[in-house]
Amino acid sequence: MKKIITITIIISLIIPLSCSKQQKGENELIFAIENEITTLDPIKTKHIYDLQVIGQIYNGLIEINEKNQIVPALAENWSTTDYKTWKFKIRNNVLFHDNSKLKPSDVLFSFKRILSKESNSAWILSDVIKNFKIIPPDTFVIELNKPDPHFLHRITSPLFSIVPETIKNLKEFGSNIAIGTGPFKLLQKTDNEIILIRNENYWEKTNGNVSKLKFVTIKNDQIRLSELKAGKISVMYLPLHLAPTITKSPEINEKFQISSFPTFNIHFIGFNTKKLNIHIRKAINLAIDRNEITKIATSNLAIPNPNPLPTPLWTTKETNPFNPEEAVKEIKMAKPPHELQLLVHDKYNSPIIGELIQNQLKKINLNITLKQVDFNTAIDFILKDKSDLYLMFFEFVFSSPEPILFNLFHSSKIPVPNFWKLNNKEIDQLLEQLNKPNNQKILQEIINKINSIPPLAPLFTLNANIIYPKYIQNISINPHNIAMLKKVKIQK
């Protein structure tokens, strides 16, 4: 699947966990995830679980911390005078995991690879990059087609990790071989387990003491929780449907802690704008009670959000669009088909959210049926126009509003990532003005226009909520939903 916004893929099956005994003196952290890791090649990944591991193995030129601040990584500093030519000074003290030294030519190779035909991330940069070059001895230059003050926010994700040029000769790179510069390096990979060990030559000094890091796949939420209680895993994400039980459990509260971190995501109902007229779309957007959905389906672990941007990136207070009376008026003008089908997938309480939406729409005399499929099938249905309505979520690879809005809603991005096939000249013209500094007024105008002809009905932004024993300290997650495990201290 080419050119797709990175989004979380979770399939609900039961996979037993096998754990080796921890060796004496070894600080082992076991992170349980809900999906197999499909690749360790940054340009080939399609979902967040790959990136959560990739983020431990590789570095990019720059990164974001847990406060969404851009921080130096392999580029120790950067500069621009016109927002069109960006110069990055590459660190000279960095070793790859194979002990070869990082060179500007590795950075050049990596970015050319990101823009190659085999890359699933090429779409993020292909429309803005004009050229790359190296200024000896240590400067990598990116030239853009036009000035972009927000360009750095395009390359903060682990998707833009730097790899050594020598991997072009390694056929198994990304499967059984991963060579980065990150705080952990690959020891072993199986279908259900990734074992990493601490990179003793890591260029950045940290206070973390994790010597072995495992990512294990346990697809069943209840089994993951049981393994956590038994001490067989160290960290897991809080499953939404178990949240009411977990948060009220004396056993959990005594031995474990739950931390919550804002991330770049939105959960939404997507519309095929070619098949659903504006009145149906408006009616659905007006009839949805986001507060009820957030309370029941997420146990208030999410933030109701009527806008197409994740709440960490857009804090302006918006009027709640919930208005059933106006929704009824729109339905009368819409002349909808007798029944619509809402596509739901198998995670993040999607079926429960679907039932809530179904009941809310009944109140405005709009009948919908639910069709549940696994997540991969849901994506396939959306891309092939097999669904008019679909419940979906995005984990954004961008760390600022401008590239998110442009890629989701500009007509040039049809069919991906403009899944709703929105083609509006006025919105296109506004989006093309986003590169101006101090663009808050334009941003607000774009959001207002999008909300007036909704191609989607945003529902909420979900925080990343993790559970772990109290003896684990300094664990955090950045807004890209990447755990910053290099800082973790285990103090038993």
Side-chain angles (χ1 to χ4, degrees):
M1 190 190 313
K2 296 292 288 181
K3 304 193 309 183
I4 185 168
I5 288 186
T6 306
I7 47 184
T8 308
I9 299 180
I10 310 171
I11 306 172
S12 184
L13 298 173
I14 299 176
I15 300 291
L17 172 67
S18 61
C19 293
S20 59
K21 291 184 179 180
Q22 186 168 331
Q23 297 179 7
K24 187 176 181 180
E26 183 177 69
N27 288 319
E28 183 179 66
L29 186 76
I30 304 176
F31 204 123
I33 54 178
E34 302 95 313
N35 195 75
E36 296 96 342
I37 303 303
T38 60
T39 181
L40 295 179
D41 186 339
I43 71 166
K44 293 184 178 179
T45 180
K46 297 177 183 177
H47 65 75
I48 186 62
Y49 292 108
D50 291 349
L51 287 176
Q52 287 172 343
V53 181
I54 286 169
Q56 315 305 321
I57 299 173
Y58 305 90
N59 296 115
L61 291 176
I62 57 176
E63 299 169 354
I64 55 172
N65 61 20
E66 62 272 23
K67 298 178 181 179
N68 193 24
Q69 298 168 327
I70 293 177
V71 294
L74 297 184
E76 63 181 38
N77 59 58
W78 54 88
S79 64
T80 181
T81 57
D82 57 3
Y83 298 118
K84 188 175 180 181
T85 299
W86 293 82
K87 297 179 180 180
F88 299 86
K89 184 181 179 184
I90 307 304
R91 296 182 187 274
N92 62 13
N93 61 337
V94 178
L95 295 178
F96 285 104
H97 295 157
D98 63 357
N99 289 323
S100 63
K101 187 175 180 180
L102 169 69
K103 305 181 295 296
S105 58
D106 296 308
V107 180
L108 178 63
F109 168 78
S110 297
F111 270 87
K112 286 184 176 180
R113 193 168 178 266
I114 289 165
L115 287 177
S116 68
K117 292 181 179 180
E118 63 179 319
S119 171
N120 287 324
S121 309
W123 63 272
I124 302 174
L125 297 179
S126 59
D127 61 340
V128 298
I129 297 292
K130 180 180 180 181
N131 192 28
F132 304 119
K133 66 180 180 181
I134 294 172
I135 300 177
D138 57 8
T139 301
F140 176 66
V141 180
I142 299 178
E143 296 179 351
L144 307 182
N145 292 321
K146 57 184 178 181
D148 182 0
H150 316 287
F151 173 71
L152 292 179
H153 291 281
R154 288 180 177 265
I155 59 172
T156 55
S157 165
L159 288 173
F160 305 103
S161 297
I162 304 305
V163 299
E165 190 172 2
T166 52
I167 64 109
K168 62 187 176 184
N169 300 319
L170 300 176
K171 292 183 179 181
E172 293 192 0
F173 181 77
S175 55
N176 297 315
I177 298 174
I179 305 172
T181 59
F184 297 94
K185 54 186 180 181
L186 179 65
L187 178 65
Q188 181 181 333
K189 179 181 183 295
T190 65
D191 289 343
N192 300 311
E193 184 176 81
I194 306 285
I195 302 178
L196 309 178
I197 57 174
R198 187 176 186 86
N199 177 13
E200 298 298 341
N201 295 321
Y202 188 46
W203 55 270
E204 182 184 22
K205 301 301 180 184
T206 68
N207 293 322
N209 67 359
V210 175
S211 56
K212 180 180 286 187
L213 173 60
K214 289 184 180 180
F215 287 87
V216 295
T217 301
I218 310 175
K219 293 184 177 181
N220 182 274
D221 295 336
Q222 191 62 60
I223 292 178
R224 270 199 321 282
L225 181 60
S226 297
E227 298 284 75
L228 180 74
K229 290 180 179 180
K232 295 181 179 180
I233 65 172
S234 314
V235 187
M236 63 176 282
Y237 280 87
L238 176 65
L240 286 182
H241 71 98
L242 295 178
T245 302
I246 291 174
T247 54
K248 296 176 182 178
S249 167
E251 178 188 5
I252 293 291
N253 291 329
E254 180 184 354
K255 298 179 180 179
F256 300 91
Q257 52 191 326
I258 299 173
S259 294
S260 183
F261 303 91
T263 59
F264 300 143
N265 70 82
I266 57 168
H267 290 239
F268 58 87
I269 305 169
F271 305 136
N272 186 322
T273 58
K274 287 188 175 181
K275 295 182 179 181
L276 298 180
N277 66 51
I278 190 171
H279 296 294
I280 295 177
R281 296 176 351 235
K282 281 185 174 181
I284 294 173
N285 195 44
L286 290 165
I288 298 301
D289 186 345
R290 291 159 176 84
N291 291 330
E292 180 185 58
I293 290 172
T294 302
K295 179 180 179 180
I296 295 174
T298 80
S299 301
N300 289 321
L301 294 173
I303 303 169
N305 183 10
N307 289 308
L309 290 172
T311 51
L313 295 181
W314 190 250
T315 56
T316 303
K317 296 291 183 181
E318 299 292 333
T319 303
N320 188 341
F322 180 54
N323 192 328
E325 292 78 15
E326 287 298 316
V328 170
K329 294 178 183 178
E330 293 291 343
I331 282 293
K332 289 179 179 178
M333 291 186 282
K335 297 180 181 179
H338 179 67
E339 196 169 74
L340 293 172
Q341 186 178 83
L342 175 64
L343 187 70
V344 299
H345 50 86
D346 54 356
K347 281 295 177 178
Y348 281 103
N349 272 0
S350 182
I352 292 175
I353 296 171
E355 291 176 4
L356 290 170
I357 291 168
Q358 187 179 45
N359 291 331
Q360 290 176 1
L361 295 183
K362 279 182 181 178
K363 297 176 182 178
I364 63 167
N365 299 317
L366 182 60
N367 295 317
I368 64 169
T369 59
L370 303 181
K371 180 178 179 63
Q372 182 173 343
V373 297
D374 65 80
F375 194 89
N376 287 337
T377 302
I379 295 296
D380 186 61
F381 276 27
I382 294 168
L383 292 174
K384 293 181 178 179
D385 277 352
K386 292 183 179 180
S387 180
D388 297 337
L389 291 168
Y390 47 92
L391 198 58
M392 190 46 63
F393 57 95
F394 287 156
E395 293 271 0
F396 293 110
V397 302
F398 304 116
S399 54
S400 70
E402 295 80 11
I404 291 177
L405 292 174
F406 190 93
N407 280 279
L408 287 187
F409 302 109
H410 196 279
S411 61
S412 66
K413 299 299 180 178
I414 297 172
V416 175
N418 185 341
F419 294 105
W420 12 78
K421 301 170 180 61
L422 181 66
N423 190 344
N424 184 284
K425 291 183 178 179
E426 185 179 347
I427 290 178
D428 282 355
Q429 290 172 356
L430 288 169
L431 290 169
E432 286 157 12
Q433 300 178 48
L434 277 178
N435 284 347
K436 297 179 179 179
N438 303 316
N439 61 6
Q440 288 295 303
K441 184 176 180 181
I442 297 174
L443 279 171
Q444 185 66 68
E445 194 173 349
I446 291 169
I447 290 172
N448 290 343
K449 183 61 179 176
I450 291 169
N451 288 343
S452 71
I453 54 168
L456 77 164
L459 302 175
F460 57 82
T461 294
L462 181 66
N463 287 335
N465 303 283
I466 54 173
I467 317 171
Y468 52 97
K470 291 184 177 180
Y471 61 77
I472 295 177
Q473 299 178 356
N474 297 345
I475 190 168
S476 61
I477 294 177
N478 76 10
H480 282 313
N481 207 355
I482 306 300
M484 304 178 74
L485 302 179
K486 62 186 178 184
K487 300 180 179 180
V488 168
K489 279 190 175 182
I490 298 176
Q491 296 183 333
K492 288 191 176 181

